[in-house]
Amino acid sequence: MAHDSQAALDRLMRFLRVEGVTGQEKAIGEDVARALVEVGVPAAVIAYDDANTRIPVPTETGNLIVKLPGRGALANSPPLLFMTHLDTVPLCAGAKPRIDGSRIVSGGDTALGGDNRTGCAVLVTMAAELARHNLDHPPLVLVFCVREESGLWGARHIDLDMVGPVAMGFNFDGSKPSDIVTGAVGADSWEVEIFGRASHAGVAPERGISSTMIAALALADARAGGWFGKVVKGDKAGTSNVGTVAGRGGRAAGDATNVVTDYAFVEGESRSHDMSFVDEITNAYEAAFQKAVKTVTNSEGKTGTITFTRHRKYHAFSLDRTLPVVAHGTAAVASLGLTGNPRLANGGLDANYLTLHGIPTITFGAGQNEPHTVDEWVDIAAFQDACRVAIALATLR
């Protein structure tokens, strides 16, 4: 069915102008709530959970949760969950969106924030069209998560009692609306503190133990072993990256060129669709640092020490493509004349945690392209198709 595409586009432009980087979602959450009320959603069914009180990093607000009662012939059908995330990456701060032909682009030197303001606009547009046309639909739970970009924290700590029982979930976060993402990678983050020994680099460098040299040797060893970047070992595959190399408190590693560096901090990540291989990749980095710290000795035969810590960021999942959630998603896409493309994603999604929580969730694109870069843009036609997919998902009999 036709939807008000101009209103949908205006809504997206409105949300793109509201700053809300990860952890600072209060303003965009409030604007999404206002937009929902404007399209006829009763304020009484709009609330926030207290996930922010359980997230271990500062977070302004909880997840925005909206519960729409069922209507008409589908009123007593099993409830469905629709979700997206409110936050953007920090690179989106100060974005000035503008329409350039068939695209929305950033007017400055920032990313755009289409990831994931497109998803926010899709869900509000769905609610608007359901109300405007008085369409039959099952009970719906709309969830706008916080802190997706910094670790899927909102989805991880969502108040499931507040969500209530739902049969299946549909997430909007990606590029093509015809992509039906049925699974995604799992990931570890890891960090290592390297403790060396300071010494005057011009007078007695041999007495020092360089933490930066330990880091360099460890990372070179991991790369030589095939554990950096794209990682393939037999029939197992994954990726890894080294993200931060720093000193204490986020300052530069080392104090001056004439002082042997006594402390360095390195953090990275490991990813794979096979969680056992995630562990293998992380183990390889730990082994490389353990080897390197024994290699670098000073004139007294002393070595430095390391503290290696790993964290499970999210678990991989892969839904059986015969499940009802995949069938429902495929039918909705097909009803619009689009060809569904079931696939796996190599990035983490809120769906990772919803599925872990027992809600089988698939993900659709909403027109995002080149996210997390200053070249980010939104495909307007794909965004409009995503709005149509959402409406079809909510009304399909």
Side-chain angles (χ1 to χ4, degrees):
M1 62 169 289
H3 68 285
D4 189 337
S5 58
Q6 186 59 53
L9 180 58
D10 291 344
R11 198 170 287 125
L12 175 54
M13 293 297 291
R14 166 183 171 173
F15 292 160
L16 286 167
R17 294 187 183 103
V18 181
E19 191 165 306
V21 303
T22 190
Q24 300 173 27
E25 297 93 347
K26 183 178 180 181
I28 183 60
E30 290 176 345
D31 198 47
V32 168
R34 279 192 295 270
L36 286 164
V37 171
E38 290 165 10
V39 301
V41 175
V45 304
I46 303 173
Y48 296 88
D49 73 5
D50 63 350
N52 56 315
T53 67
R54 298 186 299 280
I55 295 172
V57 284
T59 308
E60 287 182 343
T61 186
N63 300 305
L64 178 62
I65 300 177
V66 183
K67 304 188 80 169
L68 302 179
R71 180 188 293 129
L74 296 175
N76 295 317
S77 299
L80 303 178
L81 180 141
F82 287 78
M83 70 182 304
T84 190
H85 65 87
L86 292 167
D87 59 320
T88 68
V89 294
L91 188 60
C92 297
K96 296 178 177 62
R98 62 182 176 84
I99 296 174
D100 181 9
S102 61
R103 300 181 173 191
I104 304 172
V105 299
S106 176
D109 56 357
T110 71
L112 176 63
D115 177 12
N116 198 11
R117 300 304 161 74
T118 56
C120 295
V122 164
L123 296 199
V124 177
T125 296
M126 179 188 71
E129 297 299 323
L130 295 178
R132 185 165 75 99
H133 294 287
N134 199 34
L135 297 173
D136 292 354
H137 63 81
L140 303 177
V141 182
L142 313 186
V143 177
F144 300 82
C145 283
V146 296
R147 272 204 181 273
E148 189 268 358
E149 297 290 6
S150 49
L152 313 181
W153 288 110
R156 187 183 312 201
H157 291 286
I158 192 169
D159 186 335
L160 293 173
D161 289 335
M162 190 170 171
V163 170
V166 291
M168 58 187 73
F170 306 106
N171 183 37
F172 282 83
D173 186 4
S175 181
K176 297 179 181 179
S178 56
D179 281 349
I180 303 171
V181 178
T182 60
V185 294
D188 273 353
S189 61
W190 53 262
E191 59 192 44
V192 57
E193 290 186 284
I194 308 169
F195 303 92
R197 185 181 188 279
S199 181
H200 194 296
V203 176
E206 71 279 3
R207 295 180 61 191
I209 301 170
S210 172
S211 58
T212 49
M213 186 56 63
I214 293 169
L217 289 171
L219 297 178
D221 189 37
R223 182 181 181 277
W227 296 106
F228 176 76
K230 186 176 182 179
V231 183
V232 179
K233 301 289 183 180
D235 60 352
K236 297 181 178 181
T239 63
S240 77
N241 187 49
V242 178
T244 301
V245 179
R248 288 186 175 88
R251 301 190 302 271
D255 297 318
T257 59
N258 63 350
V259 180
V260 175
T261 306
D262 67 347
Y263 178 87
F265 173 83
V266 182
E267 63 180 349
E269 68 165 28
S270 312
R271 298 188 186 204
S272 177
H273 289 277
D274 179 342
M275 294 310 298
S276 67
F277 197 53
V278 172
D279 291 336
E280 286 187 46
I281 296 171
T282 305
N283 289 344
Y285 276 93
E286 182 172 12
F289 280 98
Q290 293 287 5
K291 177 182 175 182
V293 76
K294 296 174 183 177
T295 302
V296 180
T297 60
N298 69 0
S299 57
E300 300 170 3
K302 294 180 179 179
T303 64
T305 60
I306 67 163
T307 300
F308 190 97
T309 308
R310 67 183 71 202
H311 310 276
R312 183 58 38 93
K313 291 176 71 174
Y314 42 83
H315 293 261
F317 78 102
S318 181
L319 297 176
D320 189 320
R321 294 181 181 179
T322 64
L323 286 176
V325 65
V326 181
H328 193 89
T330 302
V333 169
S335 74
L336 303 176
L338 303 174
T339 301
N341 175 36
R343 67 178 190 85
L344 301 177
N346 288 323
L349 300 162
D350 281 334
N352 286 65
Y353 270 100
L354 267 292
T355 300
L356 186 66
H357 291 323
I359 303 170
T361 302
I362 59 176
T363 300
F364 299 88
Q368 304 166 15
N369 289 275
E370 300 186 63
H372 303 190
T373 74
V374 296
D375 297 318
E376 183 184 7
W377 58 281
V378 170
D379 182 327
I380 295 174
F383 162 71
Q384 300 289 9
D385 278 345
C387 293
R388 296 166 62 217
V389 168
I391 297 165
L393 288 166
T395 57
L396 191 67
R397 295 175 185 268

